């Protein structure tokens, strides 16, 4: 199974969970058509499905029944999508385009976009709970998996990272320790929780060697993701927009490139990839998907 | 235990969960001071703590250890508060005052207010999951309770009701069936889920006579709450603002009063209270708190 294979599985299930809805008065307990369509618009806007694919691939690696992990994977993608919808709002980044399409609030209006985000976070939790109820013999495992996902997405995770990111931007603060908090919490945590959740579903304790190894991988992978983003930002900008490292540095923007220079950032990325790969030793050949993922990430061009 | 007694318990626990935070660089996994203070600002802004008190009172009535129910009760209040913060945003109702204090976005800015709302919903789920992990022998009960709370708060519940409410307001639609959906989902569901969650924690199945009776009570109580709101809105307005039933009717606003007239609305409220009281028969004298709650609700003046 490649990343694309997993993405196809997830796309299919997401499309079932959020079908295109016709306008009608909803029954009590029913999702209104407008909310469903607004949620669907952003969830089905494409994307690599990296986070849910990592959950499913890890579940496969650890011998979890894929059907038992699929709803949690979809929930994770919904949480990722809610964060993008809210991030794009006028009160946050005020972005009007994402993946080449108008952002949610441009299409549905600001109020409905806020609710589409709230709805996706809520629906994610509802789906994970329904999934947990479908496997009563694994209640404790599902609670632990949900806890990993919500800890990564929540106030000491992604939301906390977003808060500090917005704060630094608005107050023009560039502090290396704050930047590290933002990178780890905004990016790495949501790339670590899929692996921890899969380990929980497989019955591994949070402090087991397997879960610990996966956590190290997730954190390193997240930082690698960020480093490559920073590099592409400059390389891409130089080619297309004429922006330079100097400009980011002038603006006081802290990135891997402004911190270490372009070559230094590339070296740091290679080191992170090597460290992440080392952490997979415990899984031997079964970790092939995650070894390849590091390679793909290091060499991606967009 | 009165409503005020329960509210005091909840206030104390909420203040512990969201202590006033000093500005400092957060450690990984830590809630940033700014997010904590923004969440705290709205959670500790007062309020009757009606929903969590209903959960605790129902837990007491059904013999659940109060300590086991307290975090779920606090989570419910956080969910209620997140919905108020988002509802007040410029993109929604654009309110600058709530309970006599500036709204969250007026104090912390729009972006941080969006995140404070997201944070409270996330934190609510995180706390309920941590609570579930603390009672491994009751995993299934806790999953069911969380499911009741999230179903009431989620896309086929409160968020769905908010979506249709905003839609009707923006599109100037007044449809009696949509109004009913909005009332039930925006108001009643969040007053029913505390009771269903308490029943789940007590080990009652979702289709048990006890849970069914509590659901009937919650729905009727929610509609009573709405009817009294509508009545006070007119009575209050006539006294203080000179607004009249005629004005709401002219604006096409559908309320209990525009539908049934003031006296008709009062009769409807009395009927709802009587029906709610009848549903409590199965619990006998143990339901005293909930009988009194109906009386207090019917005769409240604000």
């Amino acid at each position: 199974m490649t990343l694309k294979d997993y993405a196809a599985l997830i796309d299919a299930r997401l499309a079932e969970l959020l079908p295109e809805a016709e306008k009608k008065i909803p029954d009590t307990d029913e999702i209104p058509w407008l909310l469903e369509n607004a949620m669907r618009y952003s969830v089905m806007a494409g994307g690599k499905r990296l986070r849910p694919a990592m959950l499913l691939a890890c579940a496969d690696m650890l011998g979890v029944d894929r059907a038992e992990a699929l709803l949690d994977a979809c929930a994770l993608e919904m949480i990722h999508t809610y964060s993008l919808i809210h991030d794009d709002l006028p009160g946050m980044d005020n972005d009007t385009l994402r993946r080449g399409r108008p952002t949610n609030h441009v299409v549905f209006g600001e109020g409905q976009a806020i609710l589409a985000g709230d709805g996706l976070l809520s629906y994610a939790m509802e789906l994970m709970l329904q999934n947990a109820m479908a496997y009563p013999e694994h209640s404790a495992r599902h609670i632990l998996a949900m806890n990993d996902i919500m800890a990564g997405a929540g106030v000491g995770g992604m939301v906390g990272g977003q808060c500090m990111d917005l704060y630094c931007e608005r107050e023009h603060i560039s502090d290396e320790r704050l930047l590290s908090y933002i990178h780890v919490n905004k990016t790495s945590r949501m790339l670590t929780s899929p692996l921890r959740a899969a380990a929980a579903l497989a019955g591994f304790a949070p402090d087991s060697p397997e879960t610990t190894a996966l956590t190290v991988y997730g954190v390193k992978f997240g930082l690698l993701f960020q480093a490559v983003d920073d590099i592409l930002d400059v390389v891409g900008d130089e080619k297309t927009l004429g922006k330079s490292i100097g400009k980011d540095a002038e603006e006081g923007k802290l990135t891997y490139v402004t911190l270490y220079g372009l070559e230094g950032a590339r070296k740091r990325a290679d080191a992170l990839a090597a460290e992440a790969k080392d952490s997979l030793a415990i899984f031997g050949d079964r970790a092939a998907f995650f070894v390849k993922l590091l390679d793909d990430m290091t060499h991606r061009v967009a």
Side-chain angles (χ1 to χ4, degrees), chain A:
Chain A
M1 292 279 288
T2 66
L3 179 57
K4 278 194 178 154
D5 296 332
Y6 284 116
L9 274 182
I10 292 149
D11 279 332
R13 192 75 184 95
L14 284 171
E16 284 169 8
L17 291 167
L18 289 168
E20 186 132 16
E22 275 184 44
K23 185 170 169 175
K24 72 172 201 53
I25 310 274
D27 296 328
T28 306
D29 300 2
E30 212 178 19
I31 310 175
W33 82 94
L34 181 58
L35 181 60
E36 189 154 312
N37 287 341
M39 295 194 295
R40 179 186 170 87
Y41 176 81
S42 292
V43 169
M44 302 311 289
K48 289 186 295 293
R49 312 301 191 196
L50 179 59
R51 291 154 193 83
M54 287 171 80
L55 195 156
L56 285 189
C58 193
D60 278 351
M61 178 171 85
L62 302 176
V64 179
D65 180 6
R66 201 183 284 161
E68 188 169 347
L70 187 54
L71 271 184
D72 285 30
C74 290
L76 198 62
E77 186 67 11
M78 289 184 188
I79 292 172
H80 175 58
T81 307
Y82 115 76
S83 78
L84 300 181
I85 295 174
H86 281 188
D87 212 33
D88 288 337
L89 284 167
M92 303 267 293
D93 286 355
N94 196 19
D95 278 319
T96 55
L97 278 177
R98 178 171 290 276
R99 291 173 185 147
R101 300 168 75 204
T103 45
N104 199 288
H105 65 270
V106 170
V107 177
F108 295 94
E110 205 177 321
Q112 292 296 352
I114 294 168
L115 292 171
D118 294 347
L120 282 171
L121 174 55
S122 303
Y123 198 32
M125 190 71 189
E126 295 178 70
L127 289 171
M128 289 193 288
L129 288 164
Q130 284 166 25
N131 197 36
M133 289 193 289
Y135 296 91
E137 72 283 13
H138 289 160
S139 287
R141 293 181 181 195
H142 280 271
I143 288 172
L144 188 55
M146 287 186 276
N147 184 62
D148 280 321
I149 288 172
M150 286 313 305
V155 289
M158 183 181 69
V159 178
Q162 296 268 35
C163 168
M164 285 295 96
D165 194 20
L166 185 64
Y167 169 76
C168 286
E169 189 207 305
R170 296 289 154 94
E171 306 287 327
H172 305 290
I173 287 164
S174 74
D175 177 287
E176 206 175 322
R177 285 171 309 159
L178 262 181
L179 181 80
S180 162
Y181 178 86
I182 293 166
H183 281 175
V184 169
N185 283 282
K186 221 185 125 168
T187 309
S188 281
R189 296 290 299 280
M190 284 285 288
L191 294 165
T192 307
S193 66
L195 309 177
R196 291 181 60 90
L201 291 179
F204 290 109
D207 57 355
S208 65
E210 287 81 0
T211 307
T212 304
L214 289 166
T215 304
V216 172
Y217 178 91
V219 172
K220 304 279 182 193
F221 180 77
L223 296 176
L224 169 64
F225 190 95
Q226 186 65 53
V228 174
D229 252 10
D230 288 350
I231 292 166
L232 288 174
D233 205 32
V234 170
V235 175
D237 282 349
E238 280 181 342
K239 281 188 192 147
T240 59
L241 301 170
K243 224 170 86 178
S244 67
I245 307 171
K247 182 154 179 280
D248 274 352
E250 264 170 44
E251 285 173 358
K253 227 169 119 181
L254 273 178
T255 74
Y256 276 89
V257 180
T258 59
L259 269 177
Y260 303 111
L262 193 55
E263 265 323 292
R266 281 189 174 128
K267 275 189 192 150
R268 191 77 200 93
D270 287 340
L272 284 165
E275 287 161 28
K277 192 176 168 190
D278 286 348
S279 74
L280 296 171
I282 189 173
F283 304 110
D285 290 346
R286 288 180 300 148
F289 175 91
F290 292 101
V291 173
K292 182 166 185 317
L293 197 61
L294 289 169
D295 211 47
D296 293 349
M297 184 55 57
T298 311
H299 298 110
R300 75 192 164 107
V301 291

